[in-house]
Amino acid sequence: MSSATLTRTPDRAKVTAWLQNYGVYLAVVVLLLFNVVFTENFLSAVNFRTQLVQAAPVCVVALGMALVIGTEGIDLSVGSVMSIAAALIPLYLGAGPLTAIIVAVIAGVVSGLFSGYLVAYLGIQPIIATLALLVGGRGLALVIAHGQLVQLHNQDFLELGTGDLLGVPIMVIIAGVLAVLAGLVVQRTTFGRHLVAVGGNRAASTLAGLPVKRVLISVYVISGALAAVAGVLATSRLAASDPSDVGLLMELSAITAVVVGGTPLTGGRVRVLGTVFGALLMQLVQATLIKHNLPDSTAQMVQAAIIVVAVYVARERSSR
Amino acid sequence: MTATTTQPNASGAAFAGVLQRQGAAVVLVLGVAAAWFAFPHFGTADNLRSLVLQGSFLAVIALGMTFVIISGGIDLSVGSNYALGGVLAAYGAQYGLVVAILLPLAVCSLIGLVNGLLIARTGMAPFIVTLASLLFARGLLLALTSEGSTTYKVEPGSAFLWLGQGTIFGIGVPVYLTLVLFALGGLLLRRTRFGQSVFAIGGAEQSALLMGLPVARTKISLYTLSGALAGFAGVLTAAYLQSGVTVIGVGTELDAISVVVIGGTLLTGGAGTIVGTLVGVLLRTLIQNVINQIGTLDSNYQTVVSGAFLLVVVVIQRLLARSRTR
């Protein structure tokens, strides 16, 4: 080690640690300020509502993803689970919106049980177990829906995506409540502590007698259920069930939101508030690019750069 | 087999080992036999020719993926690289055959090189790095084609088209090229120090480092190779389709991973064969062909079957691996 690196390292480590803890909030604030100054009509209640409503499904999915990543796993199937949920909605809407939603969420739970069983009991790598469902799930959704887009007209159901409660969009309230619940689960429950322990050191958790398999299967079930909820929300907002499009590349957005929010891919740590801000950041980045007329292609390349930078920053902590 | 050990006295374990390595080949033979009897059109020379031709594009991508997976990594960017390579080839064809081949190879190798550098030098997870370059390459492709609205067509009569549409003894040129690449790949993997390093890194990276193997350099070469091969598959496809199609390659990374795994390469790294991958490609193509032969089946079932197939193979692989270590 040269003396130059010795004197530089503490500063750099400090900066990195600070960025990991507060980088996402800083990024959201910077992006907000940028938009306030440079984007026309950004400072309006209507626009803020739109941003929050559009961030809601990503946020819901990212919460589940954060729990999975906390156990050192990954769930690539979330987008396909959303499409399965979307495909089921029109089939059961005749029996009432609540029935349709329950069926969709049950489908999400079953998908999660499936992935979770493969990961927890058969010991298959999470990336492959959920990859199979990513491929097969959307196909299944398209088979269920005969590849068709279905317009929805049930007002009660559409209220979910378009309605307000005390002036706040219902979708935003749902995402907020789920975020608070996720925060409580991680911080205040035994399950939350087990989850973090399993992600931190699986072998030690097994030796300590923690219910490792049960924790693993649970996080995938939660992730599947939340993905289904996001699918329901997206369908209601669109006023149409579109299984070929809903949730496309959602796994990428959700993983990015989680990682940008300070949850390391190596597990052992879950940052719920960071994840919520990560989802907001992804939405703001997209909105900024669209409002400044930058094409989709640029948006994709920017998202790629954000993923790399975020993971690079997150990496420093684990390697230290 | 390199890096896999069998206990000679446990016959059950040995049987599991044989099944793990040769299972796909057995299923392939049975599947071909069944399809031959079940579908009158299946056994025709036309159908068999198109079957191997269709398989050749995926095979080229899967070859690079085999190397990457044996080293314990994964390359999710191949689908985007494949599409990007095709568009660049079709664009380059107007400047002649050499440009049509070299331009996509250069760009896709560069993307692979960046993947490799990020993975080897910063220690970031391969799947996250290549996920980012999946997005990046697709974005670049969209930018090149004005959001996908421009299609680059190759002029009829261009020498470049022979690469995809030409035939020798009635069999498509891509099939020969694929076989040559697989032969070279096999030699590289089995007969060179580079190949030994790939197995060593996949088996135990720390030990490979301690042994003084060039771990970082090998990894960088691997991802560059994977990028180049995906780009070359794009070249062949562009020559075959006579244009650069922007929408291809979505989900191709999954197909490639599936066939590699089906071929007996372990996702945990350290063990695998090139021939197995070839068998995996044929099996995948066979299944697709059979689904097409049935005809009445909803085409969306193809992806369901792909997913289910990948899963079944991985589960079986896992169970066999367990019974062998017991």
Side-chain angles (χ1 to χ4, degrees), chain B residues 136-162:
Chain B
F136 182 84
R138 185 64 66 176
L140 190 60
L141 162 74
L142 286 175
L144 280 174
T145 58
S146 329
E147 301 303 300
S149 61
T150 314
T151 309
Y152 295 107
K153 287 217 183 304
V154 183
E155 282 175 30
S158 163
F160 169 68
L161 293 177
W162 181 78

Side-chain angles (χ1 to χ4, degrees), chain B:
Chain B
M1 279 287 120
T2 317
T4 56
T5 48
T6 42
Q7 295 119 318
N9 55 348
S11 65
F15 178 69
V18 171
L19 204 60
Q20 189 169 4
R21 285 197 300 275
Q22 312 298 346
V26 174
V27 175
L28 178 65
V29 171
L30 292 177
V32 168
W36 206 294
F37 284 111
F39 306 105
H41 180 68
F42 179 84
T44 61
D46 266 352
N47 188 50
L48 293 178
R49 267 203 293 268
S50 92
L51 198 145
V52 287
L53 182 66
Q54 293 304 329
S56 62
F57 307 114
L58 179 61
V60 173
I61 302 172
L63 177 62
M65 188 69 87
T66 313
F67 276 84
V68 171
I69 292 183
I70 290 176
S71 81
I74 200 142
D75 187 352
L76 298 180
S77 67
V78 290
S80 296
N81 256 342
Y82 169 55
L84 179 64
V87 167
L88 286 171
Y91 168 78
Q94 55 187 317
Y95 303 107
L97 179 65
V98 177
V99 180
I101 297 173
L102 289 187
L103 178 69
L105 281 184
V107 174
C108 295
S109 306
L110 187 65
I111 292 175
L113 177 69
V114 173
N115 281 340
L117 281 171
L118 285 172
I119 291 162
R121 299 283 181 215
T122 71
M124 287 157 72
F127 99 85
I128 238 9
V129 171
T130 55
L131 202 64
S133 60
L134 176 158
L135 272 184
F136 182 84
R138 185 64 66 176
L140 190 60
L141 162 74
L142 286 175
L144 280 174
T145 58
S146 329
E147 301 303 300
S149 61
T150 314
T151 309
Y152 295 107
K153 287 217 183 304
V154 183
E155 282 175 30
S158 163
F160 169 68
L161 293 177
W162 181 78
L163 272 182
Q165 298 178 345
T167 54
I168 301 171
F169 304 123
I171 294 172
V173 172
V175 178
Y176 293 100
L177 291 172
T178 304
L179 290 175
V180 169
L181 285 173
F182 267 74
L184 291 175
L187 288 176
L188 187 62
L189 193 62
R190 289 290 176 198
R191 296 274 177 266
T192 64
R193 292 180 60 86
F194 175 78
Q196 292 305 314
S197 301
V198 173
F199 278 109
I201 293 170
E205 189 168 339
Q206 284 305 318
S207 317
L209 265 175
L210 291 172
M211 278 158 65
L213 293 176
V215 171
R217 195 154 37 107
T218 307
K219 281 191 183 177
I220 294 169
S221 316
L222 279 176
Y223 287 94
T224 311
L225 181 71
S226 176
L229 285 171
F232 188 64
V235 172
L236 294 180
T237 307
Y240 175 66
L241 297 175
Q242 214 167 326
S243 65
V245 181
T246 55
V247 294
I248 61 167
V250 178
T252 300
E253 59 280 355
L254 307 176
D255 288 338
I257 295 168
S258 309
V259 299
V260 171
V261 174
I262 289 163
T265 297
L266 293 184
L267 268 167
T268 40
T273 65
I274 296 287
V275 178
T277 298
L278 209 50
V279 173
V281 172
L282 287 175
L283 199 50
R284 167 95 179 83
T285 320
L286 172 74
I287 291 170
Q288 232 166 9
N289 196 276
V290 165
I291 291 175
N292 289 340
Q293 301 274 343
I294 294 172
T296 54
L297 207 56
D298 187 337
S299 68
N300 291 314
Y301 273 111
Q302 277 197 11
T303 57
V304 181
V305 172
S306 300
F309 199 61
L310 170 63
L311 207 67
V312 168
V313 170
V314 175
V315 169
I316 291 175
Q317 220 182 49
R318 178 76 201 156
L319 294 177
L320 289 174
R322 266 191 190 175
S323 74
R324 292 177 69 193
T325 51
R326 217 160 261 164

Side-chain angles (χ1 to χ4, degrees), chain A residues 37-80:
Chain A
V37 178
F38 293 105
T39 308
E40 275 179 59
N41 304 326
F42 189 79
L43 264 184
S44 71
V46 176
N47 178 54
F48 271 96
R49 285 174 64 101
T50 315
Q51 299 303 324
L52 287 176
V53 164
Q54 288 188 343
V58 184
C59 180
V60 170
V61 176
L63 289 171
M65 186 70 83
L67 298 185
V68 174
I69 290 180
T71 64
E72 211 183 347
I74 197 94
D75 188 351
L76 297 181
S77 72
V78 287
S80 295

